[in-house]
């Protein structure tokens, strides 16, 4: 099969979250399974310098964007057989300090930037030498792609257009813009209607993709069910219910070449399920790095996250305050950034409890590995979580996840109440700081029973969330799409 992926983030070239990891790993797994895979993504600042293998593809183009004509160029990298990465070079749009925003403020021209990107993705797909069967678009940034493909097909300009699949990584981000931004598509205004890209007289890029793609997927089975409800549907649940039979949830996998505890340049001590000693050594290193007392006996919790409501960062802050107030012995290390109020709250907590709490504000992929490897428990109190990756990384790293039972967290972690034999973590249901504090206390109690703690840890480390496995679900989905099943 020949598949193109259009994504605004691609690990290891650009990343703000799980989307990047997913697209990087899924496309590699598909290529290794023998499919021809092309990925199209923006050429952001710094990519060329960090990846000197990128070469100009000798492919320049001009794209109409409303009344302007914007030129661009593709750069290309072939990291392994069957896989070609295409980078859209348009310095005015993409050579910037941030990907979507700076200092938490969105770029005001995001509509133009990602409409340009969507058009470049369509142009590439149309003109690749071999016909493409499926064009998989990720999130709102590629949300206009299915509409552009459909229009080209319906108007007779593109006879054998590929099937389009829109993958939702997070329904809360929809790409809302004033109606005038629809002009960037250069489509007749007859395409701006409620069953297309229009919502409340505004342009909604994700809605366009949800309405006009041939199929829909999201990144866990439970999130697929949740987004069809008013509670999680972010206003798009009526549309999703209408297309429920075309919406499938496929849990993300893990790139175990990168997220492994044996050959990992970020970690000082190798370990795995049969040689667990290195984990304790990594814990001591991490405590040192975070400036916390080196103590094997105290349970160490960590979290690597965007500091947002979605991630329950406020619940976590309040729960830690409650647990510390009752004198429980624990340590906690946070890496993250986001809401300035939450950043300040965590900093203040660390100042108040320097022996217990360490906070690093920023984005640091190497430290993320050490926080996963050195911890005993990993907290993920998300209000909603389409898939979540860190709980999967935690499992492999022998770090027991403490998660709210929602979305992909519920699908990937086994609580003792579900199965004592195969338990891998601790789940709680209510999105409250009290429920999280209770779960943290359960974790502390579990830590006090070494055999039980080891039982959870072993179960988690042996769990298989490899992409080889998950990619097969995408292949069947593509096959069904192509053959019209
Ligand atoms: P999201 O909703 O942010 O996409 P996921 O759990 O799906 O959440 O994926 C988050 C990814 O981003 C993980 O690989 C995580 O380690 C990484 N990440 C998030 N914040 C940071 C940070 N501050 N530093 C390094 N990596 C981070």
């Amino acid at each position: 099969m020949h598949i193109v992926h259009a994504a605004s983030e691609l690990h290891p070239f650009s990343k703000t979250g799980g989307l990047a990891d997913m697209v990087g790993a899924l496309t590699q797994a598909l290529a290794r399974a023998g499919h021809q895979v092309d990925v199209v993504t923006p050429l952001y600042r710094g990519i060329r310098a960090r990846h000197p293998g990128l070469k100009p593809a000798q492919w320049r183009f001009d794209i109409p964007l409303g009344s302007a004509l914007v030129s661009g160029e593709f750069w290309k990298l072939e990291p392994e057989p069957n896989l070609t990465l295409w980078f859209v070079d348009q310095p005015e749009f993409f050579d910037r300090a941030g990907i979507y925003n700076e200092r938490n403020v969105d770029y005001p021209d995001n509509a133009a930037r990602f409409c340009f990107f969507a058009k470049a993705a369509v142009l590439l797909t149309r003109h690749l030498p071999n016909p493409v069967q499926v064009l998989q678009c990720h999130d709102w940034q590629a949300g206009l792609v299915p509409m552009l493909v459909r229009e080209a097909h319906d108007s007779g300009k593109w006879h054998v257009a590929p099937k389009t699949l829109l993958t939702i990584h997070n329904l809360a981000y929809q790409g809302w813009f004033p109606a005038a931004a629809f002009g960037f598509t250069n489509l007749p205004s007859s395409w701006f209607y409620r069953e297309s890209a229009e919502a409340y007289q505004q342009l909604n890029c994700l809605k366009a993709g949800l309405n006009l793609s041939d199929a829909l997927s999201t990144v866990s089975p439970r999130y697929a069910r949740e987004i069809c409800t008013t509670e999680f549907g972010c206003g798009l649940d009526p549309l999703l219910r209408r297309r429920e039979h075309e919406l499938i949830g496929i849990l993300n996998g893990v790139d175990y070449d990168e997220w492994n505890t044996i050959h990992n340049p970020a970690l000082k001590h190798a370990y795995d399920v049969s040689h667990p000693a290195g984990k304790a050594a990594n814990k001591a290193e991490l405590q040192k790095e975070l400036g916390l007392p080196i103590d094997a006996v105290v349970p160490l919790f960590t979290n690597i996250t965007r500091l947002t409501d979605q991630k329950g960062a406020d619940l976590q802050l309040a729960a830690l305050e409650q647990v510390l107030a009752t004198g429980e012995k624990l340590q906690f290390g946070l890496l993250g950034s986001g809401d300035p109020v939450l950043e300040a709250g965590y900093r203040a907590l660390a100042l108040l409890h320097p022996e217990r709490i360490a906070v690093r504000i920023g984005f640091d992929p190497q430290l993320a590995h050490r926080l996963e490897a050195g911890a005993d428990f990993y907290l993920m109190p998300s209000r909603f979580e389409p898939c979540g990756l860190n709980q999967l990384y935690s499992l492999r790293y022998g770090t027991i996840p403490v998660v709210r039972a929602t979305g992909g967290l519920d699908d990937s972690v086994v609580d003792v109440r579900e199965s004592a034999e195969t338990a891998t973590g601790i789940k709680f249901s209510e999105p409250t700081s009290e429920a999280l504090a209770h779960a943290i206390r359960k974790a502390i109690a579990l830590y006090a029973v070494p055999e039980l703690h080891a039982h959870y840890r072993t179960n988690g480390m042996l769990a298989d969330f490899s992409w080889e496995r998950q990619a097969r679900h995408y292949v069947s989905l593509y096959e069904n799409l192509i053959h019209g099943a």
Side-chain angles (χ1 to χ4, degrees):
M1 256 184 285
H2 186 189
I3 305 132
V4 172
H5 283 254
S8 59
E9 296 179 35
L10 177 65
H11 182 70
F13 305 93
S14 55
K15 169 166 166 174
T16 70
L19 164 68
D21 290 10
M22 185 276 195
V23 180
L26 168 61
T27 52
Q28 192 179 60
L30 290 168
R32 287 181 186 173
H35 303 287
Q36 190 186 343
V37 184
D38 293 87
V39 188
V40 53
T41 192
L43 183 68
Y44 299 110
R45 179 176 295 173
I47 293 181
R48 229 170 353 213
R50 287 195 307 275
H51 301 274
L54 248 80
K55 298 284 177 258
Q58 312 297 346
W59 186 348
R60 290 168 182 276
F61 50 86
D62 293 311
I63 284 178
L65 207 58
S67 55
L69 194 64
V70 182
S71 50
E73 182 181 355
F74 287 118
W75 285 63
K76 191 171 161 180
L77 185 70
E78 288 166 291
E80 53 183 279
N82 299 334
L83 182 61
T84 307
L85 313 181
W86 302 86
F87 293 85
V88 181
D89 186 17
Q90 209 311 309
E92 271 174 48
F93 283 155
F94 302 125
D95 185 7
R96 299 186 183 182
I99 292 186
Y100 310 123
N101 54 45
E102 275 174 50
R103 286 180 216 93
N104 250 346
V105 180
D106 283 346
Y107 290 124
D109 59 349
N110 274 347
R113 297 172 78 221
F114 290 102
C115 187
F116 179 83
F117 168 62
K119 287 183 167 184
V122 172
L123 178 115
L124 176 101
T125 307
R126 267 183 91 164
H127 297 288
L128 283 172
N130 296 323
V132 174
Q133 274 94 41
V134 178
L135 174 49
Q136 183 167 353
C137 316
H138 298 268
D139 273 354
W140 76 260
Q141 293 87 347
L144 297 175
V145 169
M147 179 169 65
L148 295 166
V149 171
R150 188 165 289 201
E151 192 275 338
H153 180 260
D154 289 2
S155 62
K157 291 188 288 252
W158 195 358
H159 291 295
V160 273
K163 297 288 184 186
T164 55
L165 165 64
L166 184 85
T167 300
I168 306 159
H169 295 258
N170 192 332
L171 194 68
Y173 298 91
Q174 300 181 2
W176 286 90
F177 300 102
F182 184 78
F184 293 129
T185 65
N186 297 81
L187 296 185
S189 57
S190 56
W191 281 88
F192 192 59
Y193 60 102
R194 258 190 78 201
E195 277 70 42
S196 167
E198 188 264 331
Y200 302 103
Q201 288 91 48
Q202 287 187 281
L203 169 64
N204 182 319
C205 297
L206 186 69
K207 186 178 175 191
L210 294 178
N211 271 315
L212 297 169
S213 59
D214 295 304
L216 301 173
S217 74
T218 187
V219 288
S220 70
R222 177 157 172 177
Y223 192 60
R225 296 192 298 275
E226 286 173 343
I227 57 180
C228 292
T229 66
T230 317
E231 186 185 355
F232 292 93
C234 302
L236 294 172
D237 46 293
L239 186 176
L240 288 163
R241 280 196 293 277
R242 183 165 50 77
R243 298 202 65 188
E244 203 166 359
H245 57 290
E246 293 153 317
L247 165 67
I248 179 173
I250 301 174
L251 197 72
N252 282 340
V254 176
D255 177 355
Y256 288 125
D257 288 342
E258 174 164 5
W259 290 92
N260 83 85
T261 51
I262 304 285
H263 305 288
N264 190 329
L267 304 182
K268 271 215 178 125
H269 306 278
Y271 67 99
D272 67 6
V273 68
S274 26
H275 310 90
K279 181 151 178 86
N282 283 311
K283 175 174 175 179
E285 294 285 350
L286 180 63
Q287 287 170 322
K288 194 161 117 199
E289 180 174 359
L290 295 178
L292 295 169
I294 298 174
D295 182 347
V297 177
V298 65
L300 172 57
F301 293 73
T302 57
N303 183 208
I304 305 150
T305 190
R306 293 183 287 115
L307 293 173
T308 60
D309 266 12
Q310 177 204 334
K311 298 291 182 183
D314 54 330
L315 305 178
Q316 180 172 261
L317 186 59
L320 287 166
E321 281 165 351
Q322 289 165 28
V323 175
L324 288 166
T326 52
E328 303 274 2
K329 297 272 182 292
L330 87 167
Q331 291 178 340
F332 172 74
L334 174 89
L335 169 63
S337 62
D339 182 342
V341 174
L342 288 168
E343 288 183 3
Y346 277 99
R347 281 200 171 108
L349 192 70
L351 278 177
L352 212 58
H353 302 277
E355 308 260 288
R356 302 250 168 255
I357 309 286
V359 171
R360 297 287 178 273
I361 301 296
F363 196 90
D364 184 343
Q366 302 302 307
L367 177 56
H369 283 272
R370 293 194 289 279
L371 285 164
E372 286 285 5
D376 301 301
F377 296 96
Y378 188 88
L379 298 182
M380 236 164 145
S382 308
R383 286 193 167 81
F384 69 93
E385 192 58 78
C387 175
L389 291 173
N390 281 304
Q391 83 282 11
L392 302 178
Y393 303 153
S394 299
L395 290 170
R396 179 51 60 100
Y397 279 45
T399 301
I400 295 172
V402 178
V403 304
R404 178 151 182 265
T406 185
L409 298 175
D410 195 33
D411 285 333
S412 57
V413 174
V414 182
D415 187 87
V416 68
R417 286 165 297 186
E418 293 167 290
S419 158
E421 190 58 32
T422 60
T424 57
I426 295 171
K427 286 186 189 172
F428 63 98
S429 298
E430 292 306 310
T432 62
S433 58
E434 290 75 19
L436 173 57
H438 184 65
I440 292 174
R441 291 197 178 96
K442 274 191 178 174
I444 296 171
L446 174 65
Y447 191 69
V449 188
E451 315 76 63
L452 201 53
H453 183 242
H455 172 67
Y456 276 59
R457 200 164 62 193
T458 306
N459 284 344
M461 291 178 94
L462 292 173
D464 179 9
F465 291 98
S466 61
W467 262 115
E468 289 67 41
R469 212 176 213 230
Q470 298 312 93
R472 278 186 230 130
H473 296 292
Y474 280 97
V475 172
S476 341
L477 173 56
Y478 302 152
E479 276 165 356
N480 288 343
L481 253 178
I482 295 166
H483 301 116

